[in-house]
Structure formats: structure tokens, C-alpha cells
Amino acid sequence: MGETTIRRAGTISRKTNETSVSVSVSLDGTGVAKVSTGVGFFDHMLDQLSRHSLIDMEIDVKGDLHIDDHHTVEDAGIALGQAISQALGDRRGITRYASIDLAMDETMTKAAIDVSGRPFLVWNVAFSAPKIGTFDTELVREFFQAFAQNAGITLHVTNHYGANNHHIAETCFKAVARALRAATEIDPRQANRVPSTKGMLV
Ligand SMILES: [Mn+2]
């Protein structure tokens, strides 16, 4: 079990004039989340991302919420993406590809991931309202854009259908979580190789 006992973990601290962010992740966790961003709905979504990816996450953000939630959400995505990338290292032995159609009540959302080292977001999700409570629905895309860019993953998210905007947002996070779990998991048949004929994924 020598190769699989490597601790795949990452820690990022990031401070700007807009936010102060610290993130720690452990890829082979049990989905224990300790999240504090000052934005209740966003905390709820990050909890889902951890719980359903089984990636342990500690995320602390102190942002300029007196302006709005934008910098807090975007910078959390940047730091979380960087921490995941750091934890993946040279991406040796990972499954690399995964997708899921995730149902929640009336809503269905697909997430497809390639842990490619090539950042790309394809976003086919429309909300029918600008807000969920006090949270700007457009920030869901902003989060995943920052996350995909900094994690070095290709991420496609498509909402097939759904009526409730809370459900639409939540299925995005849960679907990405489940796809991320599968794609970042160690595939024993890769035998510790980088899963690319190029020989590298960074
Ligand atoms: Mn919910």
C-alpha cells in the first residue's frame, strides 16, 4: 500500500486588499468541512462540495462583504482550486475523467470533469431569479470559473431542467463534488502512472 499512503493535501493562504483567504484540503478524506465565509448560502454550498466529494476542506474567508459577495466567492474559488491542484501534485495514478447526472427533487444537473491540467469551464446553467435569498445567482458561475481555472481542470456543467433556484445551485455543487471525487480518486490499474499518453498532466 506504499504508493496510496501518500497524503494528498494542499494548503493555500491568499491575501489581497479585498479578501483574506486560507484553505486546506485533503483529497482522501471523509468529507469533513469547516467552512466560514460570512456568506450563509455559500457556506451551505461549500459544505455540500466537501461532503459529496469526500474531500476534507477547511475554508476561511474574510472578505469585503460591505461591497457585495463577489470577491469573497471568487477568491474562495481561486484558493480552493489552487489547494486542490497542489494536493494532486503531478496527478499520478488518478482516474482523471468522471461525470454524473445528479437529481434533486425536480432538478437535474450534469457535471463532467477532466483533471487535465488544462483549465476550461463550459457553463450551461441559467437561473430564473437574480437572487437566492441575499445571494447573487450569477456568483455560482463565478465560483466555478475561478475553481476550474486554478485547479487546472476542464469542467462542464449543464442544468438539464429544474424550477427551484436553490436546487439548481445545489445540484451544481453536488454534481461537481461527485464527479470530482471520482476523477481525483486513485485508480489502482493506473499503477502509479500519469494517465496521459503525453506522460504529463500539468
Ligand atoms: Mn440546500
Side-chain angles (χ1 to χ4, degrees), residues 41 44-45 48 104 166-167 170 174:
F41 181 77
H44 177 45
M45 293 300 106
Q48 303 291 351
M104 179 179 180
H166 186 125
H167 291 167
E170 190 158 338
K174 285 177 165 172

Side-chain angles (χ1 to χ4, degrees), residues 11 147 160 186 202:
T11 299
F147 177 74
H160 297 305
I186 297 295
V202 287

